[in-house]
Amino acid sequence: MLLANLSKCMDVTSKLPTTGSSNPTLLVSFNTLFSSSSLSDLEPEWLDDIQKNGELFYLELSEGEEEAALAQAAANQGVSTNHVRFSEEEAEVITEENKKLTKGEPTLKRLARILRRKRRPSQRRGGGGGGKDGKDNPASSPPASILKNQPGQRSGVTVQELKEVCVYLNPKRLGGSSTTLTHSGGLLEALLGVVHRTSWSRGDTAVVGHEERLTVHGLIPNSPAIKCGQILIGDVLVAVDDVDVTSENIERVLSCIPGPTQVSVLGAGDSSLQRKTKASSPPVSQLVRLLWGEDTAELQMSIEHVPHAVMYLSLKLDSASPQEEEEILYQYPVSEASGQLKGVRGIFLTLCDMLENVTGGRILSSSLLLGKQLVHVGYWKESNNLLVIGLPRNHSSIVVCVVMTTSFFIFFFFNLHRVLRSAFCKVDHAPRLDHFFCLFFQQLIQPSRLRDGSSAPTPDVSGTLFLDGLPAVRWLTLPPEIKVCFCPCSEDFFGLRRLYVILGSCLFYKSYLIANHLPKEDLLDVCLYCQHYCLLPLASEQRVGQLVIWREVFPRQRANGGGGGTAPGYSQPRGRHFLLIVGLRHFMQCVLLEAGGCSSAASGSPGPDCIYVDQVKATLLQLEVLEAGIEDRLNAPPAPCLSCADWFLPAATARDRLDSLASSSPVFSKLAGAVKGSSSGSRGRSLFGEKARRSSPQRSLSDSGSEGQMDAGSGSGLSMAPGLSPHSTPDSGRKLGGRRDSLGSGGSDGSGGSGGLFKVHLMKHPNPFYLGTLKKTLTERETEEMYNTMKLTSGAENTLFHYVLMETVQGIFIAPTQREVAQLSGSIHPQLIRNFHHCCLSIRAAFQQSLLIEEQGGGWGLGPVKEHGVLFQCKPENWTDQRKPAPTMTYWVIGRMLLEPVPQEFYVCFHDSVAEVPVEMAFRLSFGLAL
Amino acid sequence: MFGAGQGAVLSSCETEGGGKVVWRVFQDSVMLIAVSGGGQGGTGSSKLEEVRLRRLLENVWSCMVLVLGQDELTDVKNVERLKRDLRSCFALIDQLLEERQEGILGNLTHCADSLLPPNPTLLQEALDGFSQAAESEFGCLVVHGRVAAATEKWWRLAPQEVVLLSALMRSLSASGSASCDYPVFLPKGSPTVAHRLLRFQLLPGADVCVLCGPTPSLHRAESGLVGRFWTPLVETLRGCLAIGERCLPGSVSLRPDVLAVLLINRDARRSVSFVRTAADPQPSDPPLPSKARCWELLKLFYIFSTTRYFTQEETLSVSPEERAQRGHSEDFALGFPHQPLQCYLVTEECKSFGLQTPQHQLFLLTPLSVPTFALRALATQTLSDIVAATGF
């Protein structure tokens, strides 16, 4: 295929100088090579996942993660003694990827094979079972290519655990109530007590017609099935009295049972229950499972007792037809606790109607006591329909509830349809909505569970709330020497109109935004999408093998038709917009495409175009070069120096620490003695000196840790594009340099040399795909000196603990990276950060109020707030010394809103010893970091 | 109301533009609903209002109990009669609703608004003697609507009762009578048994009252006791009245750049508050907020800080369910892993500073001209000045 590439650097609101556009020729050749190779030989592995409406959500973990999953699964084996059945039919049926395996399985390798093959169909499930040929793409997973299947051939090998359950059935009990048979459940419900909703009735139209397995979707109270206690929701009914059953023949089989008898029911168990009792951490994080659309039942079950619900109610009640629950257009979830909320929906309807008359404003929120629990309810009214979301008090304050409702609304705007109503009322949206809300509530109610296996032991709820609530994306400040330029190239087919115009794109690395060419509004929309699907944490914690997302979107600004169209005679083209997200390992690029306008108009629901996907993929592969630079930045000491709270506590913890240090070094023992002697005084300085040295082994440790990851990364990077051998050269060079860096940073003397070496390596191996954007001219020492001079606080000691700076115009915020925070380990410090975030929530609420005043004239009585600060006091935990009172440390958390010259919000946390002027600090920060 | 069958009790509601509705059921029998229309640009409307509305409901209920007794309200036999009876507490409720008198924050803080007289011992001795003679342990001297002196037992009443009795005294003395005998039920202490509240006007603006049983009669107390105990102290009382709304004796010198102060003694549940009258109308830029606005700002700042940062004693002591009834705002304060000690707010009108010590809470307003970093020193100095001079 002939491709002509037009390299075009989209520069919408570029924050970074786009130096990369200087050598477009290299870029072009690369693109051609890559896309043509992948186009001609192989179909991309995500092709089968595309849904009928063109949407795609394809997520594949990297090899490293899969191995971990396998090891976990292997560890689990041998516990259950159920037998294994291999069958061809079941290949697409089984979605559970960590089924337990039996003892007899010989080696891990075999396991791996089985599981991997089993994974494929499970990934495909999001697509609604489009096709079933599991065609492995050698480009993506080389180990799997050994077992590459021929296209079209189905060789599903499945591990399945079966259980036999004896149930007592009495068909005579049905005698009188013949009516029950007429409704959908039939004998299955009436006799056995198993509720099975056919896929058709669930609105899942994409299911392959004929036979369908009998998944237990529900159990009827007092039925034989529930009484026996072994049939669980999610199980699959396989056979009754040795007769294989499907949705086709179950009614016939059951009707053949003559009288009261014991029937053995063979069921393929969903192993969720056993897994739970074993309490082993699931191999693949819950989040991924949730995204894959698997196993929502278990997660849902764990929050069943928490009253939470979303309902979409119609305000127009047709009194002529008093049907039950007619006003409920949509509802999720169906559990007991939320049923209570459903029961009182009359309140919501009445309040919505009445309060508008009384107070003259739409209802925003209300709180009510449900049993003993306080539940907050947020409302959104749109024409004649009312969206109600209820959340328990423990998990969110009422403000959050309202915000969530609104942002959810916006999200929907962006995501599905222009009107809420159409999103809720279309039948085939129901499963997607279910999935959506499942994610929504899981994130809200048990965020820790989704991210288990991650490093954070205590989830910082207010931190998440605060940082996610900011209308901004986390920006990673890179040294000016590392310039990121990525140029999504638009392509023209000869003689054809372009399919899409690239409106802009943004690039994330490990959840940090590192480059953006999108207008702010679009950026925020895209970010909201990523946040909802937890894509950012996914990319930072788990190495994503490959992620391809494609869907039609409705960006707020563009959908409204307003926004940029200020120039006379110019109106925004009214096209359709598509969001393409491609993730490779820690990188993730989001591209917003427009069809219509100056490109050809899209008709129907087009799926992702290989060329565009490959292009983005190619860009990401090129950017791998940058990974070392970014990792360096992430591993570097915090740019504005940060202090750890624990250092400021005179005795106690500091003493403990020193004691532990003293054992290793005679110098420290002296120091410890000094500090023990005089609890205050010169503590800070001496501790700092010691800390600076002390932190280095820690850092190099973390470096080597990431180094290992990097190794794996480059390995799989190679595997992604096997034909591109030159790519490996800079990789190894970089690795070498990186390692030396990390070693050198321990003793600051050697670092200069290693920095130079690094540079030499890069120079020696000119990479044809090297954009010339990664320039590291400063030696390590120089950078370190630069960092050291970046001090926000005044006075001799650095008293800064934490900061957040938000740039409203660009829609980004800067905060110390998680790694920077982790470096400052300590017992008090994490607590302090939690406290800081909690306080920021409060401060920001105050700022929001004052902005409201300016907009509506309403707001609150205190008037516009410019600055707000709180002084906190903390004590070391577990203070055992009875004689002396616990030492205390006081620190300020201050928020400052600047409207001039550019709107900024600045939150800072520093020790109480020096009086600071926050404005000055904010300016120092924003200029020092050179946004 | 609607959801009781389903086990759901509505507690509050919020609408666009700051409108708020708050429900609360008392004693499982009476439901009070407070509605605040948001309104555009109304003074002090919106956000913080929920706390106020909750306080209002509480106070209104206490008022009704104070006047009518709890039994009357819970076992309603004749609704029409109850309605008629309730009229007698309308005056008091109106006072709560309108907050007419400037500088009375007790309704909000549930701390008795106090006035610190220049020579407290004299007044205290006189009051103790007077109460003893009136066969009562509960006596109180009210000057300018604020408690100037009270017997020890009086301070042991629930803070809410002290506040309410002060409010009742204000409304009674506003009626202009020289003395009266008024039956009161104590909402916490004796919600079902009435006591007699004897009130005597000593000077215009200065009243004394005792809570007593069936004896003595109003006449005997007025003719025999009032003159005996209080005549020698007329000059002292005049001195008290002269303090006016400053509430602090002249010996306490305050820095000139303090606009308004609210000082709460957390143990005694007493508060002193004042707004500096613009003695020297210097043309400052930007203009200082008016006196009424200062009071409003002080109240708002109090609500702001207490709901967010400073826990109040009562919130810690109440049961979780009751706390849930009071609303969500207070549990924000409980969410901090570390203890907030001080906070400040810079708005367009003034700067506000609040600090909390184990003994006191201090809230003060300063003009914008005061540099932010000096606020803390100013506040601590003010606190130590007042405490040192008066022993508050």
Side-chain angles (χ1 to χ4, degrees), chain A residues 362 369 842 867 891 912, chain B residues 9 16 309 338 342 344 376:
Chain A
R362 268 187 311 179
L369 276 168
S842 160
E867 188 177 317
Y891 61 93
D912 167 42
Chain B
V9 182
E16 259 178 357
Y309 309 116
H338 295 164
Q342 307 179 354
Y344 72 84
R376 190 175 173 195

Side-chain angles (χ1 to χ4, degrees), chain B residues 298-339:
Chain B
L298 196 57
K299 277 183 204 169
L300 289 169
F301 182 61
Y302 170 81
I303 298 172
F304 176 84
S305 349
T306 47
T307 49
R308 284 158 188 254
Y309 309 116
F310 303 149
T311 45
Q312 292 154 292
E313 280 69 25
E314 39 185 342
T315 53
L316 294 176
S317 57
V318 296
S319 64
E321 285 123 72
E322 197 176 341
R323 195 182 299 152
Q325 274 260 315
R326 284 160 195 246
H328 59 92
S329 46
E330 279 143 358
D331 45 73
F332 191 84
L334 304 174
F336 285 109
H338 295 164
Q339 195 196 4

